[in-house]
Amino acid sequence: MKTLVVYTSQTGFTKRYAKWLSERMEADLFDLKDVQKKENSFFDGYEAIVYAGWCMAGKVVKANWFFDRAKNWKGKHLALIAVGGSPNDNPDVEVAMQNILTDEQRDYIKAFYCQGGFNYEKMSLPSKLAMKAFVGTLKKSKDEKERAVASFIDHSYDISDIKFIEPVVAYLQGGSVA
Ligand SMILES: Cc1cc2nc3c(=O)[nH]c(=O)nc-3n(C[C@H](O)[C@H](O)[C@H](O)COP(=O)(O)O)c2cc1C
């Protein structure tokens, strides 16, 4: 199946997943910056299109580009990959993923979550400041769990693993959105 993988990545985790997936699927791989202004005809030849973006405050960065285009791609296999700092088994991930697509989008797009990590060395200054403010609030929380989250995310870590692309591969090879 001729597959296209498009990604947006700030610190490299999403790019890594997009690369793993493109190698596995023998797909074409592009940074969104290089394809976002392409004519519709560029995408016509692809039977499957995947957009991978990093999570920011429960949303997938630049996902609107994919959602706008995907309305015209309903005959293709479409997947959205959200890459975040939270572990896959974090209950907040399940809640966030339930809200990532509308009911209508769920008919033709399948969404997946892949755990990435945090890389403060590569993060932009606005992102670093946002994280500093968020961690500061969590550290002051009365809730012990929130304080534990704060000490988990206040430094760089890498929990990415190629195994998390397997459900995406199965979907792209197998078929339906169900
Ligand atoms: C401002 C900000 C907000 C974030 N919000 C979330 C979030 O809501 N959920 C999550 O799992 N990770 C969140 N993260 C973590 C990133 O999604 C994570 O570091 C991801 O691996 C970055 O991907 P990248 O390396 O491709 O840029 C946030 C990071 C920043 C800087």
Side-chain angles (χ1 to χ4, degrees):
M1 186 179 314
K2 195 164 164 16
T3 303
L4 171 68
V5 179
V6 179
Y7 66 90
T8 299
S9 182
Q10 180 177 220
T11 67
F13 292 104
T14 312
K15 184 175 181 179
R16 185 182 301 160
Y17 277 112
K19 201 161 172 285
W20 279 334
L21 185 65
S22 68
E23 284 166 1
R24 180 70 185 278
M25 298 300 299
E26 296 182 3
D28 292 341
L29 174 69
F30 286 95
D31 189 317
L32 176 62
K33 289 197 277 272
D34 300 322
V35 292
Q36 63 183 344
K37 296 211 174 98
K38 293 255 189 220
E39 300 288 330
N40 282 335
S41 58
F42 172 81
F43 303 94
D44 284 349
Y46 292 102
E47 298 159 272
I49 301 182
V50 179
Y51 177 68
W54 58 283
C55 295
M56 184 165 67
K59 297 236 159 79
V60 179
V61 171
K62 301 268 170 70
N64 280 343
W65 171 83
F66 183 61
F67 294 149
D68 287 346
R69 296 270 189 161
K71 287 180 211 150
N72 301 313
W73 292 341
K74 288 184 186 170
K76 303 181 193 289
H77 285 93
L78 302 176
L80 173 72
I81 302 178
V83 177
S86 311
N88 267 51
D89 59 5
N90 181 328
D92 293 343
V93 168
E94 201 185 328
V95 175
M97 290 306 288
Q98 275 163 7
N99 296 316
I100 224 147
L101 297 174
T102 63
D103 287 344
E104 202 243 322
Q105 286 167 339
R106 250 184 278 278
D107 285 341
Y108 56 92
I109 302 173
K110 178 92 174 145
F112 299 88
Y113 180 82
C114 294
Q115 63 186 43
F118 275 93
N119 186 328
Y120 285 93
E121 289 74 30
K122 290 191 183 162
M123 221 179 255
S124 69
L125 185 60
S127 290
K128 263 188 211 159
L129 293 174
M131 285 309 300
K132 200 172 175 209
F134 182 55
V135 168
T137 308
L138 290 181
K139 277 191 174 157
K140 284 186 224 131
S141 170
K142 291 196 177 99
D143 183 340
E144 198 184 319
K145 273 198 211 131
E146 291 193 346
R147 292 201 303 278
V149 170
S151 41
F152 189 62
I153 63 171
D154 72 351
H155 59 281
S156 296
Y157 61 86
D158 180 353
I159 50 172
S160 66
D161 194 304
I162 197 166
K163 72 180 181 191
F164 294 113
I165 67 162
E166 288 307 325
V168 191
V169 171
Y171 162 66
L172 291 172
Q173 289 176 340
S176 78
V177 177

